[in-house]
Amino acid sequence: MQFEILDLRHFSASSLRPVLDEESRLWSDRLCWDYRTSADLLLQYLDSRVLPGYVAVENGRIAGYVFCVYEEHKAIIGDVFSLSDASAEVESQLLRHLIELLRHSPGIDRIECQLLLHPHGLHADVFREAGFKLFRRLFMELDLPKFKGPLSRPALPKGVVLSSWRENDFHPTGYLIADAYSGHLDSFINDQYRSVAGSLRFLHNIVRFPGCGLFDPPSSRTLTRAADGALAGMLLCSRVREDIGHVTQVCVAKDQRRLGLGACLIEECAENLRGRGFRGLTLTVTEENTNAVELYRRVGFTEKHSFDAMVWDRSWR
């Protein structure tokens, strides 16, 4: 090994800038995603010298980095990246160091990681060796200029009203997510979905924090039951590039499924974005969630990229 692994907190934001600039270019080329806002947020945390992680130094220059964030009992590995001309083992060694740290950290009982930028299987051996369970996820894209919309859309169920997102939908959406994902595979991958409090934290990160694009209320949708005001379904969309939208969440209440509501939400979002000059709409989905994958394909989404989600839990030992 021709490089050193050092504590991320010893490095300034400016010293990581060349690595983040190259990473931003790759996000744009591979996923049509403007990563600069996320990179700027990361640089702010780096300057505060509180972000846990590691840096690889090779031949006197920073060749890569990895970081994580803590959330109560768990840690989330946020990213790992190395320069294209760095040693092939840089990312693997960075991950091994961080996983070793987290697995031996008091109070950390769970580790989650989704490496959206990295192709499926790239670091699978590192995570499997450490006892993680892996799930393949798909990055899918809808070409909006070619999207023709539904030939015939079934009528909404009686008493269900379609609306654009409003701020007072925030808390009802938290309850809907927790209920809709109860027992679902995705709640195993992301434990925020298992409770209302966790779902509200997830919503905060999507709606009020520009870490996953900029939330776009005009293309986000809710389906509300007029009788009791409860949500029957919802879709959240963010702008990840000036002309690209990304579905950050879509779910339908358990007692309202198989009525065409999921397709309605997606098509309404797509039509809104197309009318505003957007060129693409993307989303991610767990491959094992076959019903959702089939729905997206029927609407017109195609697979552009696949990546891995990884989970480790101390209780499995």
Side-chain angles (χ1 to χ4, degrees):
M1 186 172 64
Q2 309 254 328
F3 48 86
E4 292 182 281
I5 304 295
L6 304 172
D7 193 319
L8 177 62
R9 291 168 292 189
H10 295 162
F11 294 83
S12 66
S14 59
S15 66
L16 268 292
R17 172 65 77 177
V19 181
L20 287 169
D21 285 346
E22 181 172 320
E23 184 175 13
S24 295
R25 289 191 292 272
L26 187 58
W27 276 86
S28 179
D29 293 343
R30 184 172 292 169
L31 303 177
C32 297
W33 197 304
D34 187 346
Y35 190 69
R36 290 174 298 178
T37 299
S38 297
D40 288 343
L41 284 171
L42 180 56
L43 289 169
Q44 291 177 29
Y45 283 113
L46 288 169
D47 265 340
S48 68
R49 306 296 177 99
V50 297
L51 195 64
Y54 292 100
V55 160
V57 177
E58 183 177 38
N59 299 323
R61 61 159 191 178
I62 294 176
Y65 75 100
V66 65
F67 78 91
C68 71
V69 294
Y70 294 113
E71 185 182 282
E72 297 180 346
H73 66 287
K74 75 175 180 181
I76 302 168
I77 299 176
D79 195 11
V80 62
F81 185 78
S82 65
L83 296 172
S84 57
D85 60 350
S87 299
E89 281 292 302
V90 165
E91 291 182 3
S92 296
Q93 290 301 324
L94 285 167
L95 285 168
R96 288 190 174 98
H97 274 74
L98 184 57
I99 290 169
E100 183 72 9
L101 170 70
L102 296 177
R103 290 178 64 196
H104 292 89
S105 295
I108 296 300
D109 298 322
R110 180 179 173 87
I111 307 171
E112 296 177 358
C113 179
Q114 295 196 44
L115 298 177
L116 177 58
L117 186 62
H118 298 277
H120 162 65
L122 181 62
H123 296 302
D125 290 346
V126 173
F127 285 96
R128 288 198 179 101
E129 289 167 5
F132 282 72
K133 294 182 180 180
L134 278 67
F135 303 87
R136 185 170 183 249
R137 304 202 75 223
L138 309 179
F139 183 90
M140 305 185 77
E141 182 179 39
L142 179 66
D143 187 337
L144 289 176
K146 295 181 180 178
F147 176 65
K148 304 302 182 185
L151 296 177
S152 62
R153 177 181 294 163
L156 291 174
K158 186 177 180 180
V160 174
V161 180
L162 176 70
S163 305
S164 295
W165 171 271
R166 299 163 298 181
E167 179 60 26
N168 60 5
D169 292 318
F170 188 93
H171 282 86
T173 296
Y175 284 89
L176 173 63
I177 291 173
D179 181 67
Y181 281 96
S182 176
H184 194 281
L185 173 62
D186 284 352
S187 70
F188 179 85
I189 295 172
N190 182 348
D191 73 348
Q192 286 184 324
Y193 294 158
R194 299 180 190 176
S195 68
V196 174
S199 296
L200 289 172
R201 286 197 300 274
F202 166 81
L203 281 174
H204 175 81
N205 290 335
I206 295 299
V207 174
R208 295 172 177 165
F209 190 74
C212 187
L214 185 63
F215 180 60
D216 190 57
S219 61
S220 300
R221 294 287 184 267
T222 59
L223 290 164
T224 307
R225 290 186 283 230
D228 58 7
L231 289 183
M234 67 85 192
L235 178 149
L236 305 178
C237 183
S238 291
R239 298 195 306 275
V240 294
R241 202 177 74 182
E242 184 179 350
D243 59 347
I244 302 291
H246 182 76
V247 176
T248 54
Q249 179 58 255
V250 57
C251 65
V252 175
K254 289 182 176 180
D255 62 352
Q256 299 290 313
R257 292 176 182 171
R258 301 192 180 280
L259 300 174
L261 300 187
C264 173
L265 289 165
I266 296 167
E267 289 162 354
E268 282 284 334
C269 174
E271 289 176 357
N272 176 275
L273 293 173
R274 184 181 60 176
R276 292 160 56 198
F278 281 64
R279 300 199 57 80
L281 177 62
T282 62
L283 54 78
T284 61
V285 59
T286 305
E287 186 179 44
E288 291 181 50
N289 188 359
T290 54
N291 289 338
V293 174
E294 290 172 5
L295 166 62
Y296 302 146
R297 285 177 175 153
R298 285 199 306 272
V299 172
F301 283 85
T302 57
E303 180 183 335
K304 183 176 181 180
H305 168 71
S306 67
F307 61 101
D308 290 320
M310 288 72 70
V311 182
W312 176 86
D313 197 294
R314 194 176 301 278
S315 66
W316 298 340
R317 298 176 64 185

